[in-house]
Amino acid sequence: EVQLVQSGAEVKKAGESLKISCKGSEYSFTNYWIGWVRQMPGKGLEWMGIIYPGDSDTRYSPSFQGQVTISADKSLNTAYLQWSSLQASDTAIYYCATWYSSTFYAYFDSWGQGTLVTVSS
Amino acid sequence: SYELTQPPSVSVSPGQTARITCSGDALPRQYAYWYQQRPGQAPVLVIYKDNQRPSGIPERFSGSTSGTTVTLTISGVQAEDEADYYCQSADSSSTYYVFGTGTKVTVL
């Protein structure tokens, strides 16, 4: 069974940098896309972007392009989401999930437990 | 960008049927997927490719499609089905992947 384990909750101040992680196991990490989803307090799910760990091909939603960086270290079976300068509006739960896609389908299958990021102004 | 629209809430009595709709212009050309999110938990895929059920998902969950609207149906609703439900799909060119606005299902 696919397992995705995310790093723990973070409390940061506005302007600080942050990198959160998502470690995959029990599947071939390099052969499946992995993505990130934001959920702001009391709000819905937002598709942020995806990365293919095999070659680091990365796609971003226009809403998040330039705001975050998605990366992966295939030697560690780990994907990352990072910010260079956090804002209070980045306060949210961030989920990683495996992204199954082909020409005809694309969806999130297995999900991590979520990482709560709290940013104070 | 592209948008998928869902009703904010649906209320249903135990044992009855809940229907949750999701509307989007590209849905006649793109598959839809449905996720259940119980309070304080990560989302779980309950329907993929419009009407396919992943292993472990109860048979009372089903999906259907008609034109620009897809529907998640929960037959014989149980208390444990109280959750938020989100559809997900893509625009016609598969450039934008989006979630629907979400529907809160309340079991009375």
Side-chain angles (χ1 to χ4, degrees):
Chain A
E1 181 184 341
V2 172
Q3 300 233 0
L4 296 173
V5 178
Q6 299 186 229
S7 50
E10 301 274 1
V11 180
K12 307 291 274 187
K13 294 184 177 162
E16 293 185 330
S17 63
L18 176 65
K19 193 173 188 177
I20 62 175
S21 66
C22 170
K23 184 174 177 61
S25 61
E26 307 305 321
Y27 76 103
S28 179
F29 184 79
T30 55
N31 290 338
Y32 293 91
W33 294 84
I34 192 163
W36 291 92
V37 174
R38 183 174 78 174
Q39 188 166 39
M40 299 177 74
K43 302 298 183 182
L45 305 176
E46 297 176 88
W47 197 97
M48 300 180 70
I50 53 175
I51 187 166
Y52 189 76
D55 61 6
S56 293
D57 186 9
T58 309
R59 317 278 173 85
Y60 293 93
S61 162
S63 299
F64 292 94
Q65 179 83 48
Q67 309 305 308
V68 296
T69 301
I70 295 171
S71 60
D73 185 334
K74 57 187 179 183
S75 70
L76 298 177
N77 281 8
T78 301
Y80 302 96
L81 179 65
Q82 69 180 88
W83 296 259
S84 58
S85 179
L86 286 161
Q87 303 175 36
S89 58
D90 293 317
T91 294
I93 297 173
Y94 294 88
Y95 294 100
C96 66
T98 52
W99 177 251
Y100 282 15
S101 71
S102 76
T103 305
F104 305 107
Y105 60 82
Y107 62 98
F108 289 114
D109 188 25
S110 300
W111 294 67
Q113 83 277 20
T115 296
L116 175 61
V117 174
T118 304
V119 183
S120 60
S121 54
Chain B
S1 62
Y2 179 56
E3 294 182 356
L4 296 171
T5 302
Q6 301 178 232
S9 62
V10 168
S11 297
V12 59
S13 298
Q16 298 303 303
T17 297
R19 293 181 179 84
I20 305 161
T21 59
C22 171
S23 298
D25 289 342
L27 289 175
R29 295 171 294 281
Q30 294 282 6
Y31 283 123
Y33 308 86
W34 290 93
Y35 303 87
Q36 175 195 65
Q37 187 179 32
R38 294 187 174 117
Q41 296 187 21
V44 172
L45 179 72
V46 294
I47 293 289
Y48 67 101
K49 290 185 184 178
D50 291 342
N51 54 22
Q52 302 299 302
R53 219 175 25 254
S55 61
I57 300 302
E59 291 184 6
R60 63 181 182 274
F61 289 89
S62 64
S64 61
T65 180
S66 178
T68 59
T69 299
V70 295
T71 302
L72 173 68
T73 300
I74 312 173
S75 305
V77 166
Q78 300 182 8
E80 66 196 50
D81 299 330
E82 186 162 284
D84 294 324
Y85 291 84
Y86 297 91
C87 59
Q88 177 247 304
S89 189
D91 70 335
S92 294
S93 60
S94 300
T95 300
Y96 301 106
Y97 295 99
V98 296
F99 289 98
T101 49
T103 299
K104 180 175 182 60
V105 170
T106 300
V107 182
L108 301 171

